[in-house]
Amino acid sequence: MFSVRVKKVKRYNKSISTIIFDKELRSYPGQFIMLNVFGLEEIPLSLSSPNSVTVKAVGETTQYLVNIKEGEFVGVKGPYGNMFSLTNGRALLVAGGMGIAPLHYLYLRLEECGADVRFLFGVKSQEDICLTENIKDIVIASEDGSVGIRGTVKDLIIRENLEEFDKIYVCGPKAMTKFLISYFKEKGVIDKAEFSLTGYMRCGFGVCGSCVLENGLRVCVDGPVVRGKELKDI
């Protein structure tokens, strides 16, 4: 484990913040770190850029992180896990809730590659919006209709011609992921999709077994990014 200093905190609202570190981590889009808040606990967080994580308060440790002060230090292990593969073609990014964090990092890299990127983002309400300020082609759906169109990711994806995309990238809640696996199989595009999976992790390197999927894959070491063809039978 090594320590990094909090250089800046961008607070979107009382429950979501982006924490920017004083150094870039040698990493790739899709990877995660185990972040240790000294005196509390160690938790897995996806990188939202080479030097940041974006956090939503759901417990004691994440609540502390959302309100962390500039200049404080945190412990870091990693980065761990598989990465997204890049394209310089036409890309569709599909995020639900805090699934936007790893896809934001991916978006930055795809822009550098010269890819033509379309971004779909589903949230419960306007309060969940974060990391969207620099995304050019983005369509947002909210369940309560407070931002974008009223609806969910499902309402966004059915409007898209999936055949026109070279790669499709997904990260979001399990229910959303399950729907999209089924939908992509139905549309014949599952093989060009990549999913960043979510799961409860304790160790981060494949020993504890807390993040094992029904097909035996461990989210921490066999993922979190998994190719669609590996999920066909789930």
Side-chain angles (χ1 to χ4, degrees):
M1 183 171 67
F2 57 95
S3 295
V4 295
R5 185 174 63 85
V6 176
K7 180 180 179 181
K8 183 179 180 181
V9 180
K10 181 169 185 178
R11 292 183 175 84
Y12 289 94
N13 53 52
K14 63 181 180 180
S15 62
I16 300 176
S17 292
T18 291
I19 301 162
I20 302 167
F21 306 134
D22 63 346
K23 63 180 70 174
E24 291 193 358
L25 306 183
R26 185 175 295 179
S27 62
Y28 299 93
Q31 291 188 304
F32 69 96
I33 61 173
M34 299 299 293
L35 190 148
N36 190 300
V37 177
F38 303 122
L40 291 174
E41 62 179 335
E42 184 177 75
I43 60 173
L45 289 171
S46 295
L47 291 166
S48 55
S49 80
N51 66 329
S52 71
V53 291
T54 300
V55 185
K56 183 173 184 177
V58 294
E60 183 181 12
T61 301
T62 49
Q63 183 66 62
Y64 183 90
L65 285 170
V66 166
N67 296 293
I68 198 168
K69 301 296 189 293
E70 295 173 6
E72 289 192 50
F73 285 85
V74 293
V76 171
K77 293 178 183 175
Y80 296 126
N82 295 331
M83 66 201 79
F84 290 110
S85 61
L86 301 179
T87 181
N88 58 3
R90 183 90 165 117
L92 179 66
L93 278 59
V94 188
M98 293 308 294
I100 194 172
L103 292 185
H104 177 265
Y105 188 0
L106 175 63
Y107 176 83
L108 298 177
R109 286 292 169 84
L110 291 175
E111 284 277 287
E112 293 174 356
C113 292
D116 181 9
V117 184
R118 183 164 175 78
F119 208 118
L120 307 182
F121 185 24
V123 295
K124 289 185 177 180
S125 72
Q126 190 170 11
E127 285 292 303
D128 297 314
I129 296 294
C130 60
L131 296 169
T132 60
E133 53 269 23
N134 296 317
I135 299 175
K136 299 172 185 175
D137 182 7
I138 185 168
V139 184
I140 298 173
S142 57
E143 293 180 20
D144 65 359
S146 58
V147 61
I149 70 165
R150 181 184 292 274
T152 66
V153 163
K154 179 179 179 179
D155 298 297
L156 298 180
I157 198 73
I158 61 176
R159 302 179 178 196
E160 300 293 327
N161 177 11
L162 301 180
E163 293 291 337
E164 70 180 37
F165 297 101
D166 299 296
K167 297 286 292 186
I168 304 172
Y169 307 93
V170 175
C171 187
K174 288 182 180 180
M176 184 193 97
T177 298
K178 287 183 177 181
F179 165 75
L180 290 177
I181 291 172
S182 177
Y183 186 71
F184 292 164
K185 285 193 290 187
E186 176 189 330
K187 296 297 181 181
V189 298
I190 189 69
D191 286 347
K192 58 183 177 182
E194 296 183 7
F195 296 81
S196 177
L197 302 178
T198 58
Y200 177 68
M201 298 182 207
R202 294 181 62 189
C203 70
F205 46 84
V207 174
C208 71
S210 63
C211 63
V212 177
L213 302 177
E214 58 193 77
N215 64 351
L217 292 177
R218 295 164 295 176
V219 172
C220 61
V221 293
D222 299 312
V225 177
V226 179
R227 296 354 178 209
K229 61 183 179 182
E230 298 179 75
L231 299 173
K232 283 182 177 180
D233 298 325
I234 290 184

